[in-house]
């Protein structure tokens, strides 16, 4: 799946979401989302698949590789679409601006930035 976005994300960048639904859908401790008006997003190649991830939430993913792509919730976020920011050709172009849904954050994520860091693998080349 390929897509194009017209314009800048709302709220100054991407939001790092810690909600249980996002974590479970992505299999990750948080998910970065960049929000746009629905009309800004155009799928240019492929056919993303949709599923209901909650009563009002709808998620789209690539049916070939399983990568999560978009989130819409017409009840809570009418007229808006969230794009998983890591799927952008240049994820650095939309920096993180906030953590959201921190009430659901995994406890150890609070201080994850203080863990040892390795450019590749620990002890590896």
């Amino acid at each position: 799946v390929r897509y194009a976005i017209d314009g800048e994300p709302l709220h100054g960048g991407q939001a790092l979401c810690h909600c249980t639904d996002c974590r479970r859908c992505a299999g990750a401790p948080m998910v970065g989302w960049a929000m746009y008006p629905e009309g800004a997003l155009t799928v240019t190649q492929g056919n993303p698949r949709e599923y209901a991830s909650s009563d009002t939430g709808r998620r789209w993913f690539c049916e070939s590789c399983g990568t999560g792509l978009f989130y819409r919730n017409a009840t809570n976020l009418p007229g808006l679409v969230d794009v998983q920011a890591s799927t952008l050709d240049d994820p650095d172009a939309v920096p993180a601006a906030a953590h959201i849904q921190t009430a659901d954050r995994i406890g150890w994520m609070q201080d994850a930035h203080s863990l040892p860091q390795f450019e590749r693998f620990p002890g590896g080349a």
Side-chain angles (χ1 to χ4, degrees):
V1 173
R2 299 284 299 164
Y3 62 87
I5 300 172
D6 184 30
E8 297 297 316
L10 304 175
H11 310 295
Q14 63 176 288
L16 303 176
C17 186
H18 296 268
C19 82
T20 302
D21 193 37
C22 281
R23 289 189 290 108
R24 288 184 177 157
C25 290
M30 68 181 166
V31 178
W33 295 102
M35 183 179 285
Y36 297 87
E38 277 187 331
L41 173 68
T42 304
V43 174
T44 59
Q45 181 181 330
N47 296 302
R49 295 283 307 265
E50 174 187 355
Y51 71 98
S53 61
S54 67
D55 289 341
T56 57
R58 301 296 177 266
R59 293 177 188 266
W60 282 259
F61 64 96
C62 174
E63 67 180 349
S64 296
C65 70
T67 297
L69 298 167
F70 318 123
Y71 175 83
R72 289 185 174 102
N73 189 319
T75 302
N76 297 333
L77 302 167
L80 301 174
V81 60
D82 270 326
V83 174
Q84 276 193 235
S86 62
T87 67
L88 296 168
D89 287 340
D90 181 9
D92 278 331
V94 181
H99 288 270
I100 62 171
Q101 303 288 354
T102 58
D104 292 344
R105 177 173 42 209
I106 297 171
W108 54 260
M109 280 297 295
Q110 176 70 32
D111 297 314
H113 63 280
S114 65
L115 295 170
Q117 297 183 31
F118 304 91
E119 197 168 304
R120 295 288 179 228
F121 298 101

